[in-house]
Amino acid sequence: MYDPTVARLTYRALLGRRRALILGALPVLLIAISIAVRALAGADDQTAADVLGGLALATMVPIIGVIAGTGAIGPEIDDGSVVYLLSKPLKRPTIISTKLFVAIAVTMVFSALPTLIAGLILNGNGQQIAVAYTVAALVASIAYAALFLLLGTVSRHAVVFGLVYALVWEALFGSLVPGARTLSVQQWSLAVAHEIADGSLVTSDVGLTTATVLLVAVTALATWYAGQKLRTLKLAGEE
């Protein structure tokens, strides 16, 4: 379920100069803000939780997931270069699973690692806050990559839909409508973080068992359906 050639091409597409600059902008901003907050407010656990929860997990991780997930396949479908891959003797689910692996890896590197660094800057991992939010970012990276890879497979407007989900559904409705929080990757990952952090600084509206089941189910279903949709892309001469 993994092809090195597909992985190499996907890494090259995601880490090209322009996209790499976009991917790196938010982590740099997060670390810069963390340095400024630490200098002005000192080491404070509540402040660290607020910055990591509000900026890192709620904003940076989903946006990077959108860029990596949709960018892993969407541009190839849009410009027709996906025909090159589909003409090869590769199973189409293998193409999807390989691209998902790359999207997850890129999302983790550009979101979880900066989250850990920011947490250590903010309060030196007091009450395990830095580690808790880092694990939450790792878990969220998997689900976001799968969801946004699926969007890149089924829609030419995947980036727009992805940003709407990340910034409108999760950030807006997720904070205002209690029922919407149950259908939020952010809340699922926070349930995992809650089990790691000391104290009550990290909270979630979803229990750990429910969050784990939903994370696994959404990732698996999104990956499976993306593979099925890729099967329906017909090359000239296949009919």
Side-chain angles (χ1 to χ4, degrees):
M1 299 300 289
Y2 179 85
D3 184 84
T5 301
V6 175
R8 185 174 65 254
L9 292 173
T10 307
Y11 275 119
R12 185 181 300 171
L14 285 178
L15 300 178
R17 181 177 299 177
R18 185 177 65 177
R19 189 168 276 113
L21 288 174
I22 297 174
L23 285 169
L26 281 175
V28 169
L29 178 62
L30 171 65
I31 292 172
I33 290 176
S34 300
I35 293 172
V37 169
R38 177 62 185 266
L40 294 173
D44 181 77
D45 294 341
Q46 183 62 61
T47 301
D50 291 342
V51 172
L52 295 179
L55 181 56
L57 193 63
T59 304
M60 181 184 71
V61 180
I63 290 178
I64 290 176
V66 169
I67 297 170
T70 60
I73 194 169
E76 292 177 311
I77 293 177
D78 291 342
D79 63 21
S81 60
V82 73
V83 171
Y84 169 78
L85 290 179
L86 300 184
S87 65
K88 300 298 179 181
L90 290 171
K91 294 181 179 179
R92 297 186 183 186
T94 298
I95 296 174
I96 289 296
S97 61
T98 301
K99 287 182 172 293
L100 175 61
F101 178 86
V102 173
I104 289 173
V106 170
T107 305
M108 285 182 172
V109 169
F110 282 91
S111 61
L113 183 58
T115 298
L116 177 60
I117 295 172
L120 293 175
I121 291 171
L122 286 165
N123 77 331
N125 196 36
Q127 298 197 55
Q128 295 293 309
I129 290 174
V131 171
Y133 275 104
T134 299
V135 173
L138 290 170
V139 170
S141 294
I142 299 173
Y144 281 133
L147 280 172
F148 298 137
L149 179 67
L150 171 60
L151 280 178
T153 306
V154 302
S155 174
R156 291 181 178 272
H157 306 289
V159 173
V160 175
F161 291 140
L163 291 175
V164 167
Y165 171 80
L167 301 180
V168 177
W169 176 264
E170 292 209 342
L172 181 59
F173 285 96
S175 63
L176 298 177
V177 183
R181 298 170 189 164
T182 305
L183 301 177
S184 166
V185 173
Q186 178 188 342
Q187 290 296 321
W188 304 341
S189 60
L190 280 173
V192 179
H194 175 70
E195 296 298 314
I196 298 172
D198 299 330
S200 58
L201 290 175
V202 183
T203 60
S204 173
D205 292 333
V206 183
L208 179 62
T209 301
T210 301
T212 302
V213 171
L214 289 172
L215 282 166
V216 173
V218 165
T219 301
L221 287 173
T223 305
W224 172 80
Y225 191 60
Q228 296 303 306
K229 292 301 292 183
L230 197 61
R231 288 178 186 273
T232 66
L233 290 177
K234 297 292 185 180
L235 302 179
E238 280 189 351
E239 301 279 338

